[in-house]
Amino acid sequence: MADPTSLEQPSEATYDPRTRAVYLASASGRVGALDAKKGTLLWETLPRAERNDTDWGATSVRLVEGALVATTPGGTVFSLDPAHPERKPHSG
């Protein structure tokens, strides 16, 4: 049985065969990971983007050299380490 998430209108799933996890993102910049076999929630992040009611467009999350890169309809782009999703991003 799959666990519920707080992801509002999540993106298409991105599967990582290395970790056997499925990643989803939402318009507010939340990212969640599910166990691909069991459907159980592994982790979920807090929102990373501002969102308004007109932002319900395409959201995506992709794997790039082991990192997750997500985009939101409002133009926010961010990455995170799926092994440590709680880490804060470093400024550049």
Side-chain angles (χ1 to χ4, degrees), residues 5-86:
T5 72
S6 64
L7 301 175
E8 63 284 342
Q9 295 187 338
S11 65
E12 289 187 26
T14 297
Y15 176 66
D16 183 353
R18 186 178 51 87
T19 61
R20 294 185 178 99
V22 173
Y23 302 106
L24 304 155
S26 70
S28 66
R30 287 180 182 274
V31 177
L34 300 169
D35 179 284
K37 188 172 183 176
K38 299 176 185 174
T40 54
L41 183 64
L42 300 172
W43 53 260
E44 189 173 279
T45 68
L46 295 172
R48 294 179 182 237
E50 294 292 324
R51 186 190 71 76
N52 64 43
D53 289 336
T54 62
D55 280 350
W56 293 108
T59 302
S60 68
V61 62
R62 300 285 180 256
L63 282 165
V64 179
E65 297 182 15
L68 293 174
V69 177
T71 60
T72 67
T76 300
V77 178
F78 62 92
S79 67
L80 60 92
D81 178 350
H84 303 282
E86 72 287 352

